[in-house]
Amino acid sequence: MFFLAQRPLLIVANKTATLVCNYTYNGTGKEFRASLHKGTDSAVEVCFISWNMTKISSNSNKEFNCQGIHDKDKVIFNLWNMNANQTDIYFCKIEAMYPPPYVYNEKSNGTVIHVKETPIQTQEPQSAIPLWIMVAVTGVLAFYSMLITAVFINYWQKSKKSMYHQSDYMNMTPRHPPYQKNKGYPSYAPTRDYTAYRSWQP
């Protein structure tokens, strides 16, 4: 006959659970089977392990990631990648398969496995360029901008002074109008009217 003990509550925060089923057996069986069941009516067999004096075999429900391990007077069920929908009560069952008589443990109080929902952490996209490089490039660009501005202002001031010097030495000599270029007197001499002299007779 089997006597079975389970812990009442198991909190799962990292999607991994280890459920230990401790038992005592005082029969003459040589081939055994231990299984883990989900739900108050134990309707879903999560996984099982069977062993005898020479070999051990195990299997898991396709909806679970489960593996059973037999260790002396206990069976360990390891579950991983669990989700919140798998929160439920789980029962261990141990059977003596051979030789007869077939016996199994009375239903225990079970273990409530509470799977916490893992919060989704959103990380801000990190810049591929380190911050110190961006600061250095910004500083260099700012320095060159100030340098170019200073050179431009200096050049503009020199150009302005050069224009002032050129205006001080401009040639102030009056130029001949286009219609007086072929005349033999200066452009500033008054033109005499010789017609008055021709009309006068003694």
Side-chain angles (χ1 to χ4, degrees):
M1 188 172 182
F2 290 98
F3 296 94
L4 187 66
Q6 295 179 229
R7 60 184 299 182
L9 178 64
L10 188 60
I11 304 296
V12 177
N14 58 356
K15 298 184 179 182
T16 302
T18 299
L19 179 58
V20 180
C21 304
N22 296 292
Y23 72 91
T24 57
Y25 174 67
N26 56 7
T28 59
K30 295 182 179 180
E31 185 174 335
F32 303 91
R33 186 180 191 272
S35 53
L36 182 65
H37 297 260
K38 175 180 177 292
T40 55
D41 55 355
S42 301
V44 179
E45 183 177 85
V46 178
C47 63
F48 75 87
I49 178 174
S50 60
W51 69 95
N52 56 26
M53 302 299 294
T54 58
K55 66 178 181 179
I56 299 175
S57 62
S58 63
N59 196 10
S60 175
N61 188 312
K62 64 180 180 179
E63 296 182 0
F64 292 84
N65 296 292
C66 177
Q67 183 181 21
I69 301 172
H70 176 248
D71 183 16
K72 294 182 179 179
D73 55 353
K74 61 184 175 183
V75 177
I76 303 170
F77 291 102
N78 294 313
L79 298 100
W80 63 93
N81 289 337
M82 300 188 74
N83 56 64
N85 294 331
Q86 293 174 338
T87 295
D88 209 329
I89 187 168
Y90 290 77
F91 296 93
C92 294
K93 182 178 181 179
I94 301 179
E95 306 163 87
M97 308 297 293
Y98 183 85
Y102 166 78
V103 294
Y104 62 94
N105 66 285
E106 295 182 358
K107 191 172 184 179
S108 66
N109 293 329
T111 300
V112 174
I113 298 180
H114 176 62
V115 184
K116 291 185 176 181
E117 191 71 38
T118 303
I120 300 175
Q121 298 179 354
T122 57
Q123 296 182 352
E124 294 182 358
Q126 297 181 354
S127 175
I129 303 175
L131 180 61
W132 67 270
I133 293 180
M134 296 180 64
V135 172
V137 171
T138 303
V140 170
L141 293 176
F143 171 76
Y144 276 105
S145 299
M146 294 175 62
L147 182 63
I148 293 172
T149 303
V151 170
F152 175 77
I153 293 175
N154 187 36
Y155 175 78
W156 179 75
Q157 290 179 346
K158 287 183 178 181
S159 300
K160 190 174 181 181
K161 289 181 180 179
S162 177
M163 291 176 62
Y164 286 154
H165 286 305
Q166 289 179 3
S167 64
D168 291 342
Y169 293 99
M170 289 179 63
N171 186 4
M172 302 303 293
T173 305
R175 297 181 179 179
H176 295 284
Y179 59 86
Q180 293 179 351
K181 285 184 179 181
N182 295 327
K183 300 213 175 169
Y185 46 81
S187 60
Y188 50 82
T191 303
R192 295 183 180 181
D193 187 4
Y194 294 96
T195 306
Y197 291 98
R198 291 192 191 99
S199 63
W200 181 81
Q201 294 181 0

